[in-house]
Amino acid sequence: MKALKGTWAIVLAIFFVLVYLIPLNGRLLWQPDETRYAEISREMVAKGDWVVPNLLGLRYFEKPVAGYWFNNVSQLLFGENNFAVRFASVFSTALTALLVFALAWLMWKNARRACLAALIFLSMVLVFSVGTYSVLDPMISLWLTAAMVSYYLTLKASTAKGKLAGYVLLGLACGMGFMTKGFLALAVPVISVIPIVIQQRKIKELFCYGPVAVVVAALLSLPWALAVARSEPDYWNYFFWIEHIQRFADDNAQHKAPFWYYLPILVAAVLPWLGLLPGSLLKGWRERVQRPELFFLLSWVIMPLIFFSIAKGKLLTYILPCMAPMALLMAAYAEDCVTQLRTRVFKVNALLNGLFGLTGIIGLVLIGTGVLPNVELFSANEWPKIIFGIIAFAGWMLFAVVSARNNAQRWTWAAACPLLLCLLIGYAIPQQVIDSKQPQHFIQNNISVLNQSRFVMTDSVGIAAGLAWELKRSDILMFSEKGEVTYGLAYEDSRNRYVSYEDFPQWLEQARKQGDVSLVLQLSRDERVPQSLPTPDSVYETSRLALLWYKQLP
């Protein structure tokens, strides 16, 4: 047993380092998400204010503060670099994997199954894609997983003291979740446990002990909630009505998508374990009475999925909390298949992975050879990037073949399918994507001009955050577009941080008396710099970004 644990620990450690740590500095920050979260935390640390989130020196009330704390600590530990920006997400994902392992052990007392569940979780496409990307979703997923593990402890507790302890842990998890992403952290656990409470007839117990979790969550959140209300009285009004009611329910909610949006997302999210998906869900339903722990996991997957599908606003990252229970269901299903010598499911899984890898290779070959005339993703001199992409998908296909060998006895090798993709993806990104989505490259190429400019402005919030991050200054001005900082710019003390297109010539005339001016424009495909703008002294341009430099006038 010790040898088994040691082998699995080594495998998981190597996998984690290769997939989650090594690639962090292999690609530039993406805008708007990564540049935004990098800059918010940089400003909080620089200002020493860990209560009120600011972006570009403007009030930014879209999220609570705990997720930023993770990023703040990461930057304090590792410095202001891309690794630090993403490490908080990686750390949260690692803790979630440990919780997956712990819950599997609680349920089955089987070390191999617990390690397998953690490996399946860490190797899922959605998990490693979001878990190595700087957003708050890995943090909220951590706290929601902790909440469900805590609730499972209450179900298994045989004494009042044990149940009380479980509900206290549930309250702590929900409180941290609330301070990470708001009321969502309170709604999702409640929705997830409703079928479980009904099935196990725990309604009375929930009403008896549930208030304990509510009180603990409230007490944990209260100091910050009061502090931010004292500093910014309008915070809770904006956060509740705009960020919750409008985003999830209003007809004009952000990121609107149809009800079925998450079905194809789920199919892609669980790769390279897609072949296990149908059987795992069916097993959870068919054995819901004999094995209540499977129904617990099934409810944890399905109920949040339904909740997010009903909501008007949708993003693919929202269903990340469903991946932990899905990994546990898959581990249980796979182990049962092995015990019953049912290898067909593993062969189907290998086939699906092989087809995915082959499709990626064929797609890149067709794009690279120009067979698809309307798809111009790579320029003529970017063939090495196409080669890197082909190698990555070939690796996916290779490990699919390995997982099918010896009558699929090596089926766990499917976890290695994404390995080369994770390691090489940063070197296969087309230049036009870098120009439009990774502004660090453009900023670093023009850093001397930008550093000497008294005023720096742009028409994109994502670019503005990237400029602020690279230049280590928060006074980037918004030009023509306000985007997600519209609310912050509405305050009287911040209105001078925005210049409209119409007012720009007059503003520029006054600004040039104080110093150089740099205007960074994000261009649409094939768009040129507007001729109606005042003539700059210099223009630095790529396919999707342009820097207009105006020299100081005497």
Side-chain angles (χ1 to χ4, degrees), residues 56 58 456-461 463-464 467 475-483 485 489 495-508 517-523 527 529-530 532-534 546 548 550:
L56 306 176
L58 304 169
V456 178
M457 59 199 316
T458 180
D459 60 350
S460 164
V461 177
I463 303 296
L467 287 164
D475 61 342
I476 309 300
L477 305 180
M478 295 307 303
F479 166 73
S480 181
E481 301 290 338
K482 297 181 180 180
V485 294
L489 289 169
R495 290 179 180 173
N496 63 342
R497 304 289 302 279
Y498 169 76
V499 180
S500 68
Y501 196 98
E502 295 74 20
D503 294 339
F504 180 67
Q506 182 179 356
W507 176 89
L508 181 64
V517 176
S518 287
L519 170 60
V520 179
L521 300 176
Q522 184 169 24
L523 307 174
E527 181 187 3
V529 174
S532 56
L533 289 172
L548 282 61
Y550 298 90

